[in-house]
Amino acid sequence: MNTAVAVVAALLSAMSFGVASLLQQQAASEAPARESLRLRLVLDLARRPQWLAGMTLAVLSFALLGLALAFGPLVLVQPVAATDLVFALPLLAWRRTVRLTRREAAGIVCTAGGVAMFLTVLPPAPAGTAIPSIRDWLPVLLAIVGAVVLLAAMGRSSQATARTALYAIGAALLFALLDSLTKAAAGRFRAEGLGALSHWEPYALIVIGVAGLILSQSSYQAGSLAISLPLIDTLEPMGAVLIGVAVFDEQLASSTWALAVQALGAATAVGGIVLLDRSPLARP
């Protein structure tokens, strides 16, 4: 695996996704509530130039993430990709001609430092790209789909704040699954070229991607980014890393002290992400 390509592509993916999320939430918050959890919501948003700009960046982010996962494991790529607002907030501050606050600067330092700490003790990735069988995937697919259906049902009957959180958790689970399927599909295409289209992974990507898009936009529509983004930005990489360990047989740290360093790094990064997601710059 080429770690340098994976890290650079993941960083560019994070930058694109951070700005995309902000643009999409600003547009989705203006959509009618009756369109929540419906494909019609996406069709309505597709007529809004701001949302289309965000969607273009989101597609670019996904393509870059696919490139990163083709050259690196989930346990390496996903923590790096979770640094989206480390790039997005300074760009927004520059665009609005305002200074970053001490809290925002602390969030950037904690996020970047926590991710660096997590990756420092990560064992080297094995050569090649594992392609799990459907038998390996089945427990994960059933668990995530079941959880998302339950979360969506609970969200429909909840108040706005709870609905935003429940939809965001469901979207994060789907995005974690999407990231993992992206790695599997990228492995297929690297090994078989267009022959990968004869397998189920590329088509599952489309279904999970559309479902995740609808659920995330429903979360953006239901309430503030201060609720939805911290959940998506923390649960998505954590879920993808766990899937990497469970399905792809990827490895976390191999000793007790190294696991403690990774746990501390992950906690520091999560704290930084929450600080960044609660910044006024992340809100319409």
Side-chain angles (χ1 to χ4, degrees):
M1 293 189 180
N2 192 322
T3 301
V5 173
V7 171
V8 171
L11 287 171
L12 292 174
S13 174
M15 183 187 302
S16 300
F17 185 75
V19 179
S21 296
L22 298 174
L23 291 174
Q24 288 179 327
Q25 196 278 337
Q26 291 173 9
S29 64
E30 302 170 359
R34 65 179 181 275
E35 295 179 353
S36 181
L37 290 184
R38 299 175 183 272
L39 183 59
R40 182 176 178 180
L41 172 62
V42 177
L43 298 177
D44 178 18
L45 292 173
R47 297 197 293 269
R48 303 169 187 255
Q50 186 179 32
W51 188 86
L52 285 176
M55 192 65 212
T56 300
L57 284 173
V59 171
L60 174 61
S61 172
F62 183 73
L64 289 166
L65 183 65
L67 175 63
L69 289 170
F71 288 94
L74 285 159
V75 293
L76 167 68
V77 171
Q78 286 308 128
V80 176
T83 61
D84 47 5
L85 286 183
V86 168
F87 301 99
L89 286 188
L91 287 173
L92 281 171
W94 172 76
R95 180 182 176 186
R96 297 179 187 179
T97 62
V98 298
R99 288 179 174 272
L100 291 173
T101 66
R102 291 182 179 179
R103 184 175 180 176
E104 291 160 349
I108 290 174
V109 172
C110 287
T111 303
V115 169
M117 192 184 305
F118 180 91
L119 297 179
T120 298
V121 293
L122 197 67
T129 301
I131 304 177
S133 67
I134 186 63
R135 182 180 301 176
D136 298 320
W137 278 108
L138 196 56
V140 172
L141 291 172
L142 292 176
I144 290 180
V145 170
V148 169
V149 169
L150 179 60
L151 289 165
M154 293 171 60
R156 290 181 68 90
S157 58
S158 301
Q159 297 297 320
T161 299
R163 182 164 63 250
T164 302
L166 291 168
Y167 288 171
I169 294 171
L173 292 176
L174 288 176
F175 287 151
L177 180 58
L178 185 69
D179 297 336
S180 308
L181 286 170
T182 299
K183 179 171 180 58
R188 292 283 189 195
F189 278 106
R190 286 194 71 188
E192 305 178 33
L194 292 179
L197 296 175
S198 64
H199 297 278
W200 64 277
E201 291 94 342
Y203 308 101
L205 275 178
I206 297 172
V207 175
I208 298 299
V210 171
L213 178 63
I214 293 173
L215 203 52
S216 64
Q217 301 309 306
S218 297
S219 176
Y220 294 160
Q221 175 205 46
S224 171
L225 272 182
I227 300 171
S228 56
L229 264 190
L231 290 169
I232 293 175
D233 283 347
T234 56
L235 294 180
E236 178 187 353
M238 290 170 63
V241 166
L242 291 176
I243 294 173
V245 172
V247 178
F248 290 86
D249 293 324
E250 296 179 358
Q251 300 297 315
L252 294 174
S254 54
S255 66
T256 303
W257 74 268
L259 280 173
V261 170
Q262 284 193 323
L264 179 60
T268 302
V270 167
I273 288 170
V274 172
L275 286 175
L276 294 177
D277 285 334
R278 292 184 176 276
S279 164
L281 289 170
R283 302 173 190 174

